[in-house]
Every structure is written in structure tokens, then in C-alpha cells.
Amino acid sequence: MMNKPLYWLLLLFFAFLPSFVQAQEPIDSTNENTIEDRIENIAENTDAEIDYSSLTETLKYFRKHPLNLNRADREELEELGLLNAIQIDNLLRHIEKNGALISLYELQSIDGFDLATIYSILPYVKIFGDNERKTWNLNEILKQSKSTLFVRYTNILQEQAGYAPISDSALAESPNSRYLGSDYKLYTRYKFAYYNMLSFGITAEKDYGEEFFSGNQKQGFDYYSAHFFIRDIGPLKTLAIGDYSLQFGQGLALWSGLSYGKSAEAINIKKSGRGISPYSSVDENLFMRGFATQFNLKPFSIYAWVSRKMLDANVEGGDSMNTEEFVITSLQESGLHNTQSTIVDKDQISELIAGGRIETSIQRVKLGATGYYTHYGQSIAPGDQLYEYYNFSGNENLNFGLDYSWIIKNANFFGEAGISKNGGKAFLNGVMLSPDRLFTISILHRYLEPDYHVFYASALQEASTLKNEHGLYLGDELKFSRKWRFNSYVDLFTFPWLRYGVDAPSSGIEMLAQINFRPTKRAEFYGRFKQENKEMSVTQEHISILEPTIKRSYRINASFPISESITLKSRAEYLTFQEGDGDQRDGFLIYQDINFRKPGSRINFSARYALFDTDTYDERIYAYENDVLYGYSIPGFYSKGSRVYLLIRWTATKHLDFWARIAHTNYVNKD
């Protein structure tokens, strides 16, 4: 199975290019729990394999190029993503009033900065030296720029049914029962960067089962992405050509790419969009392709963009002589092209997006207006199920949004209103209050009409699509002392129209409470309780009725060093699930991690041993796993068994790293 001549040739080829490869640093351990928790929450709401690299790219940059707090502006501090709006405002006002910071620990005298917050930003900030705002000098660019070349090969060692031999007659009868290509996954990425001012690169990926330089993929990789990005040339703030992301306001009108939602960081619910950013992930849907630009014409900032790309879709009707008859029944977002049916669906519909935005900041008030037009090459059908009644149909849409943020004393009011071409509306308004340096509360109300149509958006919500939801969120953070912290939230939501699997308007509530104890900078312990109450449809005597479901989870997590080089992480999680008056089902997950990171050592490693046992798939438990660079593994554990993995990083030279990971799951009650 592992005898892959192409893989070994590629590996040897890249091994002889060490001068072009820059070693990458992992995110600092003080932030690992927070980031893992947020990513686990995203994974719980989807079974899709997602590239989360866009959520950690910024921290990787600031790890190498720490932000000078004495010179940073509000926009740069927001881009860091570790401070909320009130903390940023308090920091800027402190420096304005008292002058430059003398020590990073002076931050403790600023409202909102406790030791946990300071520890979280320490690896990414500094207070001396410049802010690395470099000039556009060719010699400086050649001297200070960095090139990174990365290759990842992944394979499942056991033979899978989709690759097993099959007779021609059986294949003809069931053409989608076998994959067209080879059983490994290959990913490569090259990036040239001059600080955060200039970058260009290319990303390519071949998924499991896709052909490679053969059949339908004679061009090699199934997916290619390229970008050119430049910023800070006079009034030209940003220019992106190729693939890019757009993130504005609170995500109601336009937000491409991933974003965090509800998490144990209960008060951090306000979004801080990055505006225009280069795209180098392998998600084949959540990006724009074309050009985007931003001009700073104080006091205004003006954006404009055009994007055109092809989308995968199911097509019905029509014939080759009359393409106007074709109708798109659904868009496909898996990004896989490894069977006959997925090949047919590939690039079936064009998408054109053009729009602009204007925003301004006046002291502590920020206002923005976003508008754009979307056109599809073929009409999209609304769907024939009752729950799809309000779905988008046709081939064009208009979206417009207004967003605001206002800081007054220790309160940050924020929100956004959006409307689509058909008149569907969406509103989101929130406030973060810090009446005391030890206590912070966040409140957010959302009102999303069933007929609000938007394709690139991501707000704080319960459902996977941004529509058909009313909700009220309340989160708080209480700091008992420098070592103890309590976070909790309650989210009440209703769905005024039907949803998939729910044949009537429904409602629910989600609650979380977590207490954290951080005795030292590197040690943290927490306990968590989470409960979700939702309504689902069941059929009784040929009649569909709503039945309540209750899911509860209990978690204990510990992360602590036993030496300068070795850190242990332990977790035990128990989950229960009940439908109506039925029997309660349950499941548990227990794991032990060991992480070895010795300063100056060429070899670092992480390992885990886990045991799990759940009654059904409904009780699955997600857990973040350490993986190779730009790789993410967040499996959902269900059934009964054990899992072990080992991750090794070897720094061969100053410019060349090798990462290797092997993971094995053993099921004791199924084959």
C-alpha cells in the first residue's frame, strides 16, 4: 500500500530544496486550549473535513514578527485577534495618557488585562523597537523576504472498499461504487512573503480517490489556488489578485472563510473582520477569485472587488442544444471529484460577485456599509420540500449591509443589519459591558428572517445557514482572582419556519459553564458542563410530531508541565443523549497526551492514547488532535474502541523541517 513511486520522487525532490524552506513554529502552548476549544466547536456542527489554517495564520505571523504595542494602531490590535474591543481601547488610551509602556507587565495596571490575558499575548507582542513597517526597497525585500515550500502526503493503511478490485459488469451496474483515482492525499503549498506587506503563492491539493496526471485530472492536482497580495503603498491600503477572502462587520452581509462561533470564551462574541486577506487554504468554496482593493482616503476607507469562479452543482433538465433549460437543484460543497457522479457535478455553474464597501472611524465609533451583486450562470431551483419553501431561487441576488461599533467608557455596542434582493432581512445587535475589572458580560440579539438570502456570511448563530432564526445570547466572565476564572453562556433560539428533519417551527436552548484554574503560566485545569435542548421530528402513527432532545456533556481537562520539556494533557468527557421519553444513551472519552518540546532540540513529538465508548453516533465526542503543519484532525469518537497517534517533528536544518504522524483506531465491537 505504501509503495507510491510518485510520492517518493516528490519527497526526494523537495528534500533537495532546503534553501527555499523556512521552518514553521507552532502556536504557543498558552493559547492551545482556547484555539482547540474553538475549533472543536466548529467540528461539532459539521462532519465535513475542513481546513482550519486560516484561523491560525495570523498568530503564526505575529509569532515570528511580534507586534509593538507602543506603535500599534487599533486595526493591527484587532488583527491580532486576542484582545476584545474594550481591552484594545483601554490600552490605546493608557498609552496616550501615560506614554509608552516600559514593561509588558505594566499591562496589569490597565483595566481588562489580567495575567491570563497577558500570558496569552506575550509570544506575539513586544514594546521595544520598531513595528517592522518596512519601506518598499528592492534590496530590503530580497534580504528580509521568506519563501516557504510545504508538502504533505496522507494515506489510510488499511484497504478500503472503494479501491478494492471489482468486475467490469459490477462497475457498470454501480459506477459510483469505486473511486477513480489513487488512495492517497497530496497537498503542496509555496508562499513568498515580505512581512505582511507582500505575498504571493500557490496551493494545490489532490483528495483521496482523485486521479493525478491521468483520466479527468491530466493537469495534475484537482484543486489549485494562487494569490498575489500587497499593502501599504500610499493611499493603496490593500490589493489582492487571485484568491482572497472578504470579512466585514458582524458577518451578516459578507464574510468568506471560516470564523469562530460560540465557545467557552463566552464574552468574545464580537467579530473583527480582516477586510481583504490572501487565501491559501484548501477549502474549495469559501473564497473569492478575481481582484479586490482597498483605498484609505481619510476619514474614509473604500473597498471594491470582483470575483468569478466555477461551482460544483447537481443539474437537471435541458439538453446539449438548449442550455437555458438546465436547472441547478443543489450546490455541492465537498470539493471531492473522485467518482463518476462528482466528476459530472464539477464546475457546472459560474458565480460572479461584484461589490464595494465604505467605512469610517470617528474617534471611538466605526461605521460601514457593504453592497454587492451576485449572478449565477444557471438558475437555481428552490427545492421541492416544504422546509425549502423560502430557499433562494433564480440566478441573481443583491445584498446590502450596515454595521457599526461604538465604544463608550467600558461598553462596546456593535451590530449589523442586512437585506437581500427579495426583501429578506437580518439584524444582529450586541453589547459587551465591563462594569468591573473582574466581571464582563456580553449580550447579543439576532433576528434572521426565513427568506434572507446570503451565500457568504457567518454570524453567531445556532443553525448552519444564516436565516430562519431568532436568538438571544447572554455570556459572562468572572475573575475570582489571578488564578481562577468562571465563564458561562445561555443561548435561547427559535426557528420560525421548518428545517431539515424538523417539520414544524421549533425552539431550543444551549448552556455552558466552565471554571478555569491557572496556577502557573504553563499549567491550566478546567471543568465544563454543557447542555443542548432541541426539538426534532418523529413519526408516530403516520403523524409527524416534535419531540424534545437533551444532550449533556461533562468534561474535566488538565494541562501541566512535569519538566521544562515535557507537558502532559489529560481529559475525561462524559456525554448523555435522550430523545423524548426514551432511554438515556451515553458515551465517554478519556485520553492522555504527552508533548515533548525541548528548547534547542531538533526533535519534538506529541503522542496520545484514548479510550472511547458510546451507544450510538448521536453520542459522538469530538477531540482536537495535534497534526502536521497545516493539517487538522478533529475526529468524532463513537462506538467502542481505542485510538493512538504519534506526531514527530524533526528540524533537519535551519531551513528544513520534516513532520510525520501515524494514527490508529481500533474498534472492539465492529469490523
Side-chain angles (χ1 to χ4, degrees):
M1 294 291 293
M2 292 295 292
N3 185 17
K4 302 290 190 298
L6 178 62
Y7 159 65
W8 292 112
L9 286 173
L10 286 170
L11 185 60
L12 289 171
F13 173 71
F14 289 122
F16 283 101
L17 295 174
S19 61
F20 296 108
V21 182
Q22 296 293 327
Q24 300 289 319
E25 292 294 332
I27 295 173
D28 191 80
S29 59
T30 58
N31 288 306
E32 284 181 352
N33 284 340
T34 298
I35 294 171
E36 290 175 12
D37 177 64
R38 292 176 175 180
I39 292 178
E40 282 173 344
N41 282 329
I42 296 175
E44 288 175 359
N45 296 310
T46 177
D47 291 325
E49 186 174 338
I50 297 176
D51 182 359
Y52 297 92
S53 60
S54 61
L55 301 179
T56 58
E57 281 290 287
T58 301
L59 289 182
K60 285 187 174 73
Y61 172 78
F62 284 116
R63 171 83 183 209
K64 289 188 173 183
H65 310 285
L67 183 64
N68 189 334
L69 295 181
N70 286 322
R71 296 173 178 263
D73 55 29
R74 188 181 302 273
E75 185 177 89
E76 290 170 316
L77 292 168
E78 288 179 347
E79 185 179 0
L80 180 62
L82 298 176
L83 300 174
N84 62 50
I86 295 176
Q87 291 171 326
I88 292 172
D89 191 67
N90 289 342
L91 171 63
L92 294 175
R93 286 197 294 162
H94 176 88
I95 295 175
E96 182 181 359
K97 180 181 179 180
N98 302 293
L101 298 170
I102 299 174
S103 166
L104 282 170
Y105 291 95
E106 184 184 340
L107 293 171
Q108 295 179 77
S109 65
I110 304 174
D111 284 349
F113 285 80
D114 61 348
L115 277 178
T117 301
I118 295 170
Y119 287 155
S120 72
I121 66 173
L122 279 180
Y124 315 106
V125 300
K126 62 182 181 180
I127 59 172
F128 298 111
D130 63 18
N131 206 22
E132 295 186 331
R133 292 190 179 97
K134 301 301 181 180
T135 58
W136 287 105
N137 179 283
L138 181 60
N139 290 332
E140 183 74 9
I141 293 174
L142 295 176
K143 181 180 178 181
Q144 298 297 332
S145 63
K146 298 182 186 300
S147 290
T148 305
L149 187 61
F150 178 81
V151 180
R152 181 176 71 231
Y153 168 91
T154 312
N155 195 2
I156 296 174
L157 302 183
Q158 288 82 7
E159 185 177 59
Q160 301 162 78
Y163 305 101
I166 187 174
S167 66
D168 292 341
S169 58
L171 183 61
E173 183 178 342
S174 182
N176 293 309
S177 63
R178 290 296 184 273
Y179 297 119
L180 298 175
S182 49
D183 61 350
Y184 61 91
K185 188 173 184 178
L186 192 62
Y187 163 82
T188 186
R189 168 177 169 174
Y190 170 77
K191 184 178 181 181
F192 174 95
Y194 173 61
Y195 296 101
N196 62 348
M197 298 173 64
L198 169 67
S199 76
F200 59 83
I202 184 169
T203 301
E205 183 188 49
K206 169 208 172 300
D207 284 309
Y208 294 116
E210 291 180 342
E211 296 167 298
F212 195 52
F213 286 108
S214 64
N216 297 285
Q217 303 295 346
K218 291 184 171 59
Q219 73 278 18
F221 291 92
D222 172 73
Y223 169 76
Y224 288 96
S225 174
H227 76 271
F228 174 84
F229 183 81
I230 196 168
R231 63 190 296 180
D232 296 332
I233 303 180
L236 178 64
K237 175 66 176 177
T238 306
L239 173 65
I241 300 175
D243 293 349
Y244 58 91
S245 295
L246 298 174
Q247 298 179 352
F248 301 121
Q250 295 305 303
L252 282 191
L254 181 55
W255 191 287
S256 62
L258 292 172
S259 68
Y260 296 123
K262 291 179 284 188
S263 75
E265 299 295 310
I267 61 172
N268 294 328
I269 57 175
K270 179 191 174 185
K271 293 185 181 296
S272 297
R274 298 178 60 192
I276 304 170
S277 58
Y279 186 85
S280 56
S281 297
V282 293
D283 187 293
E284 301 183 24
N285 300 282
L286 300 177
F287 66 94
M288 305 290 178
R289 176 166 287 174
F291 80 88
T293 186
Q294 175 191 2
F295 287 92
N296 274 350
L297 305 173
K298 294 185 177 180
F300 297 101
S301 189
I302 299 173
Y303 297 79
W305 62 85
V306 174
S307 168
R308 188 183 187 279
K309 65 179 184 181
M310 302 301 293
L311 304 177
D312 296 352
N314 287 328
V315 180
E316 286 187 4
D319 54 51
S320 60
M321 301 299 292
N322 187 5
T323 57
E324 295 298 324
E325 296 292 332
F326 282 104
V327 174
I328 303 299
T329 57
S330 63
L331 300 178
Q332 300 299 312
E333 299 180 351
S334 69
L336 298 175
H337 306 108
N338 52 11
T339 63
Q340 292 290 353
S341 61
T342 55
I343 291 292
V344 171
D345 291 343
K346 185 178 181 181
D347 295 343
Q348 285 293 330
I349 180 174
S350 63
E351 175 194 71
L352 173 67
I353 298 176
R357 173 177 169 86
I358 183 170
E359 63 183 30
T360 184
S361 296
I362 305 172
Q363 294 183 343
R364 304 169 79 185
V365 177
K366 183 177 181 179
L367 302 171
T370 305
Y372 62 100
Y373 169 75
T374 304
H375 182 269
Y376 294 102
Q378 301 290 346
S379 291
I380 298 177
D384 54 8
Q385 300 295 318
L386 188 57
Y387 75 89
E388 299 174 312
Y389 179 79
Y390 289 104
N391 280 12
F392 172 83
S393 62
N395 66 347
E396 62 180 14
N397 192 29
L398 285 169
N399 288 97
F400 181 73
L402 294 172
D403 58 88
Y404 70 93
S405 176
W406 176 34
I407 299 175
I408 176 170
K409 294 186 178 179
N410 284 333
N412 180 202
F413 297 88
F414 58 92
E416 185 172 3
I419 187 171
S420 53
K421 180 185 176 183
N422 64 325
K425 294 176 284 294
F427 301 94
L428 184 150
N429 293 280
V431 60
M432 176 186 289
L433 301 168
S434 292
D436 184 89
R437 64 182 300 156
L438 301 179
F439 180 67
T440 304
I441 185 170
S442 293
I443 304 172
L444 184 142
H445 177 263
R446 58 193 184 274
Y447 178 87
L448 314 173
E449 294 185 343
D451 59 346
Y452 180 60
H453 297 151
V454 64
F455 296 97
Y456 292 93
S458 177
L460 189 143
Q461 69 211 61
E462 174 63 24
S464 59
T465 55
L466 196 68
K467 64 177 183 178
N468 185 35
E469 183 173 330
H470 304 164
L472 178 64
Y473 176 98
L474 299 96
D476 68 86
E477 179 180 78
L478 177 62
K479 300 171 183 175
F480 298 107
S481 68
R482 292 184 175 185
K483 297 180 179 180
W484 290 91
R485 178 167 54 96
F486 175 78
N487 293 61
S488 68
Y489 71 73
V490 176
D491 187 32
L492 301 98
F493 46 86
T494 63
F495 305 106
W497 186 245
L498 287 58
R499 299 186 301 137
Y500 177 76
V502 186
D503 299 331
S506 59
S507 62
I509 181 172
E510 181 178 316
M511 301 172 287
L512 180 143
Q514 178 170 310
I515 187 164
N516 289 62
F517 173 56
R518 184 187 286 271
T520 67
K521 178 182 176 181
R522 294 178 58 198
E524 183 176 24
F525 306 84
Y526 73 80
R528 175 191 299 177
F529 169 75
K530 183 179 180 182
Q531 178 170 318
E532 299 175 72
N533 295 46
K534 294 182 180 179
E535 294 177 310
M536 300 296 292
S537 289
V538 296
T539 301
Q540 293 184 0
E541 298 180 355
H542 308 291
I543 300 176
S544 179
I545 63 172
L546 290 184
E547 185 173 72
T549 65
I550 302 177
K551 179 187 290 187
R552 297 187 179 98
S553 65
Y554 310 82
R555 177 188 297 179
I556 298 175
N557 193 93
S559 178
F560 53 94
I562 59 173
S563 71
E564 182 183 6
S565 305
I566 298 176
T567 300
L568 301 181
K569 181 178 178 181
S570 309
R571 176 179 295 181
E573 185 161 356
Y574 175 69
L575 186 146
T576 65
F577 184 80
Q578 185 173 14
E579 296 176 295
D581 297 326
D583 294 336
Q584 177 177 288
R585 305 192 297 268
D586 60 10
F588 73 84
L589 167 69
I590 301 174
Y591 69 69
Q592 177 63 57
D593 285 2
I594 179 170
N595 299 306
F596 175 81
R597 295 178 183 174
K598 184 177 180 179
S601 174
R602 290 195 172 191
I603 295 180
N604 297 329
F605 72 84
S606 300
R608 170 177 296 176
Y609 180 71
L611 295 171
F612 57 91
D613 186 357
T614 73
D615 290 333
T616 71
Y617 183 72
D618 290 326
E619 296 81 58
R620 65 192 180 278
I621 300 174
Y622 290 87
Y624 182 98
E625 297 182 345
N626 290 320
D627 209 326
V628 301
L629 188 64
Y630 305 126
Y632 294 87
S633 177
I634 310 97
F637 293 94
Y638 63 95
S639 193
K640 184 178 182 179
S642 62
R643 181 170 172 85
V644 60
Y645 75 77
L646 174 65
L647 170 67
I648 298 176
R649 174 188 174 186
W650 173 42
T651 302
T653 72
K654 180 180 178 181
H655 301 291
L656 179 62
D657 280 2
F658 289 96
W659 302 67
R661 181 179 190 268
I662 185 166
H664 178 74
T665 305
N666 181 61
Y667 294 96
V668 300
N669 59 348
K670 67 176 183 179
D671 185 7

